[in-house]
Amino acid sequence: MSIATAGVDSPGLNRPLITLAIMLATIMQTLDSTIANVALPHMQGSLSVSLNQIGWVLTSYIVATAIATPLTGWLVDRFGRRNIFLASVAGFTLASMWCGISTSLAETVIARVFQGAFGAALVPLSQTTLLDINPREKQGSAMALWGMGVMVGPIVGPTLGGWLTDSIGWRWVFFINVPVGMLALWGIWKSFPADKPGRRMRFDMAGFVSLSLAIGALQLMLDRGQHLNWFSSVEIWVEAYLAGFAALYFIWHTWRTPSEQSFFDYRLILNRNYVTGLLFIFVVGLVLFASRALIPTMLQDLMGYTAEAAGWVTAPSGLGTMLAMLIVGRLVGKVDLRMLLAIGFGITAISLWQMQNYSLVISESNVIWPGVWQGLGLGLVFVPLSTATFATLSPEMRANGTAIYSLVRNVGSSLGISLVETLLTRNTQIAHVALTAHIDGRNPAYQNPAVASTYDPHSALGQLLLNTEITRQASMIAYIDDFWLMLVMTLAIFPLLLIIRSPKRDVTRSMPELTME
C-alpha cells in the first residue's frame, strides 16, 4: 500500500508521525540553505583558504540541489516514495556529518555536493506527501504547516548558525543535523507504508543531462557573477552559453519525445492551475526572497551588528510568517483566493515602503516591525498559492510537479538575490561619486570645526575617515534603491491577479479551482 493510493481515510496511516517525520526532514534541509552562511569566515580561517574559494561551500550545495531536484519524480517512480525518503534522509545526515569532520576545502565541497544531492528530494516529497495524506478540505492547513517548514528554516538559519559558530564552533553547524536526521529517519521507517515502484517512466538520459547542464550553469552564473564582475569574466560567458544552449536543446528534445519516454512530463504545462502557480512562485522567489537577503548584510556591514545580533533582529519576521500561515491555512477554500493573495502582496508592499525610509541611525524596532509585516505578507501569499497550484493535479503527477515547483522557486530566489546584489554594488559606486563631488571647503558641514578637523581632506587620516563615511552613506543609498525596486516589483504583481478567476467552492468547501482566463 502506498501513501498515494491508500486513501485519506485509510486506518493504516499514522498521519501525526508521518507529518512529524517529514517536517523534521524538511526543516533540516531548508535550514542548511542559510545556516552555513555566517560560519564562512570561521571556516575560511580553519581551512586556510581565500574568500573566493570558501564561497564554493555555498555554491556546491546550491548547484547540487538544483540539478538533483528534477530527478525526484523519476526516482519515486523507479524505487518508491518510502525508499527515496529513507535514502534521502540517511544520505543527507551522513553527508552533514562528513561536512563537520572535513579537514580541507576539497573534502568539504565534495561533502556539500552529496548533502545537496541527497537533500534535493526532501522538500518536494514532503509537499506531495502532505497533499496525499490529507483530504481536500484540510490541504490548506497541510500546506500551511509545510510552508512554515520551508520558510522558517532559511529565516532561523543565520541566527542558529551564528549562535552555534560563536558558542561551540563552525563544525556544529553541520553536526546539528545528525540527531534531527536520525529522528526523522526513525519516524519515516515506522510510519511510511511500503509502496511498490510504478516504473512507468523511462529514464531519459539526454533530457536529464541537458536539463542538469542548463540548471547547473545558470546557478553557477547567478552565484558567482557578482564576485567575477559578471560578463567581464570568461567564466560567466561560458556558463551563460552553456545554460542557454542546454535549455534550448532540452526544450527541443522534450517537444519531440513522447511524454512516457521524456524526462519531463510536459502534461504538467497543460494544467492551467499548475502553470499559473509556477508563474506566481517565480515572482515570489524573485521579489520576496531577494528583499530578505538584504537586511542581514546591511546590519552587519553598515551598523556594526554581529552575525548573531543581526540574526536575532531579523528572526521575528519568521514569527510573522508562522502566524500568517496558521491563520490562512484555515481560510483557504473559504475566502476568495485573489483576496488572500492581494492582501499578502499589499502587506509586503507596506513593509518595503517602510524599509525605503531606512537610515544609518535606525533603531532595532525599525528593523523588526517591517520584517514582521513582510513575514505576514509572505505567509498570506505562500499557503494559498501552494495549495491551489496542486488542486487539479492527479496524485501520480504530484512528485514531478512539486519538484519543478521547488526548482522554479529556487531559481527565482537565486535570480532575485543576484539582481539586488549587483545593483547594490553598482549603485554604491554611483552614489559614492555623487557624494564625493560635494566634498570641498564650501560644504556647510566644514563650517563645524570638529568636522573640519576629523575629516580634513588634506591629511591622510582625514582622507581615510572621509572615504569610509562616504562609502557608508553611499551603501545606505544603494540599499534604499534596492528596497524601492522591490516595492515597484511587488506592486507590479497585482495585475497578474487578473489571470486568476474566483475560486469555485462546493458544498463541502473543498479546495478552490484555479483557472486562467
Side-chain angles (χ1 to χ4, degrees):
M1 178 184 66
S2 70
I3 288 178
T5 60
V8 295
D9 296 323
S10 173
L13 289 179
N14 188 341
R15 291 179 185 80
L17 186 55
I18 291 175
T19 302
L20 175 62
I22 64 176
M23 289 311 302
L24 284 174
T26 300
I27 293 172
M28 179 178 65
Q29 196 273 343
T30 57
L31 198 66
D32 260 62
S33 64
T34 58
I35 194 173
N37 295 27
V38 295
L40 289 184
H42 298 266
M43 296 177 67
Q44 180 184 350
S46 176
L47 301 175
S48 301
V49 294
S50 67
L51 180 62
N52 187 49
Q53 289 174 318
I54 200 63
W56 282 103
V57 172
L58 302 180
T59 302
S60 57
Y61 181 83
I62 294 171
V63 173
T65 302
I67 291 175
T69 297
L71 272 173
T72 302
W74 180 83
L75 289 172
V76 170
D77 180 75
R78 183 70 178 175
F79 300 104
R81 187 184 308 188
R82 182 177 189 268
N83 291 333
I84 295 303
F85 241 130
L86 290 171
S88 297
V89 174
F92 189 89
T93 304
L94 291 174
S96 298
M97 185 183 298
W98 188 7
C99 289
I101 63 176
S102 297
T103 57
S104 67
L105 177 64
E107 191 178 358
T108 305
V109 169
I110 294 172
R112 287 283 279 176
V113 168
F114 278 98
Q115 194 183 33
F118 277 107
L122 293 177
V123 171
L125 278 187
S126 64
Q127 184 179 20
T128 191
T129 300
L130 286 176
L131 287 170
D132 286 342
I133 67 175
N134 287 281
R136 290 170 67 88
E137 64 270 14
K138 294 184 179 180
Q139 286 181 354
S141 299
M143 287 299 94
L145 182 63
W146 176 79
M148 281 191 283
V150 171
M151 300 306 305
V152 174
I155 296 170
V156 175
T159 305
L160 180 60
W163 179 78
L164 288 172
T165 302
D166 293 340
S167 303
I168 311 175
W170 66 264
R171 297 184 185 277
W172 282 92
V173 166
F174 303 107
F175 287 149
I176 192 68
N177 291 328
V178 176
V180 179
M182 292 177 65
L183 186 59
L185 194 65
W186 174 84
I188 293 169
W189 180 271
K190 295 290 290 185
S191 63
F192 266 62
D195 56 343
K196 293 182 180 180
R199 298 191 176 181
R200 294 181 298 270
M201 301 172 60
R202 295 177 56 185
F203 186 74
D204 177 14
M205 179 61 73
F208 171 68
V209 171
S210 57
L211 181 60
S212 298
L213 186 60
I215 294 171
L218 176 63
Q219 288 287 358
L220 278 172
M221 184 183 74
L222 293 176
D223 192 62
R224 293 178 55 77
Q226 179 58 34
H227 302 291
L228 300 177
N229 198 20
W230 290 102
F231 291 99
S232 61
S233 167
V234 175
E235 177 187 329
I236 299 301
W237 276 107
V238 171
E239 289 161 357
Y241 277 118
L242 282 176
F245 284 122
L248 289 174
Y249 176 81
F250 175 76
I251 295 172
W252 174 79
H253 173 77
T254 302
W255 180 263
R256 60 186 291 272
T257 305
S259 60
E260 64 273 9
Q261 301 177 14
S262 174
F263 180 73
F264 173 72
D265 189 350
Y266 53 74
R267 291 177 300 170
L268 289 169
I269 64 176
L270 302 179
N271 187 294
R272 294 179 176 179
N273 292 27
Y274 185 72
V275 172
T276 306
L278 290 184
L279 173 64
F280 270 89
I281 199 61
F282 177 81
V283 176
V284 167
L286 184 70
V287 175
L288 301 184
F289 287 85
S291 61
R292 286 194 166 200
L294 292 172
I295 302 298
T297 57
M298 181 189 75
L299 295 175
Q300 294 177 70
D301 294 344
L302 302 184
M303 302 175 190
Y305 281 66
T306 63
E308 184 177 355
W312 283 114
V313 172
T314 55
S317 64
L319 297 177
T321 301
M322 292 177 64
L323 177 62
M325 288 181 174
L326 288 172
I327 296 173
V328 78
R330 300 177 179 274
L331 298 178
V332 170
K334 302 176 182 178
V335 179
D336 192 317
L337 174 66
R338 293 175 300 182
M339 180 181 297
L340 292 175
L341 292 173
I343 293 173
F345 284 123
I347 293 175
T348 302
I350 292 173
S351 70
L352 290 168
W353 178 79
Q354 292 176 321
M355 291 177 187
Q356 60 85 33
N357 290 313
Y358 280 170
S359 70
L360 290 170
V361 293
I362 56 174
S363 65
E364 291 184 356
S365 63
N366 295 134
V367 179
I368 291 173
W369 284 109
V372 171
W373 286 113
Q374 189 180 45
L376 284 169
L378 183 56
L380 289 173
V381 168
F382 200 81
V383 175
L385 183 58
S386 299
T387 310
T389 300
F390 300 95
T392 57
L393 279 187
S394 59
E396 62 270 15
M397 296 178 67
R398 282 177 181 164
N400 258 328
T402 52
I404 300 302
Y405 186 78
S406 295
L407 177 64
V408 170
R409 185 187 71 246
N410 290 336
V411 170
S413 62
S414 295
L415 181 60
I417 291 171
S418 296
L419 174 65
V420 296
E421 287 182 347
T422 299
L423 291 176
L424 181 65
T425 300
R426 306 214 169 160
N427 288 340
T428 298
Q429 296 171 348
I430 294 172
H432 192 284
V433 172
L435 291 175
T436 303
H438 295 282
I439 303 301
D440 55 37
R442 295 169 295 178
N443 192 301
Y446 276 100
Q447 304 305 314
N448 186 324
V451 173
S453 61
T454 303
Y455 298 102
D456 183 5
H458 302 293
S459 69
L461 178 60
Q463 290 177 4
L464 177 62
L465 294 174
L466 189 59
N467 182 68
T468 300
E469 183 59 29
I470 291 175
T471 302
R472 288 180 71 241
Q473 298 286 348
S475 296
M476 191 70 250
I477 293 173
Y479 275 106
I480 293 172
D481 289 341
D482 271 352
F483 293 133
W484 264 113
L485 175 63
M486 294 296 102
L487 173 60
V488 171
M489 294 178 70
T490 301
L491 294 176
I493 292 175
F494 281 89
L496 296 178
L497 296 176
L498 298 176
I499 298 175
I500 307 173
R501 286 181 182 174
S502 299
K504 298 177 182 179
R505 290 172 288 177
D506 57 25
V507 293
T508 62
R509 289 185 174 181
S510 63
M511 277 295 307
E513 273 191 27
L514 179 72
T515 55
M516 293 180 64
E517 297 287 354

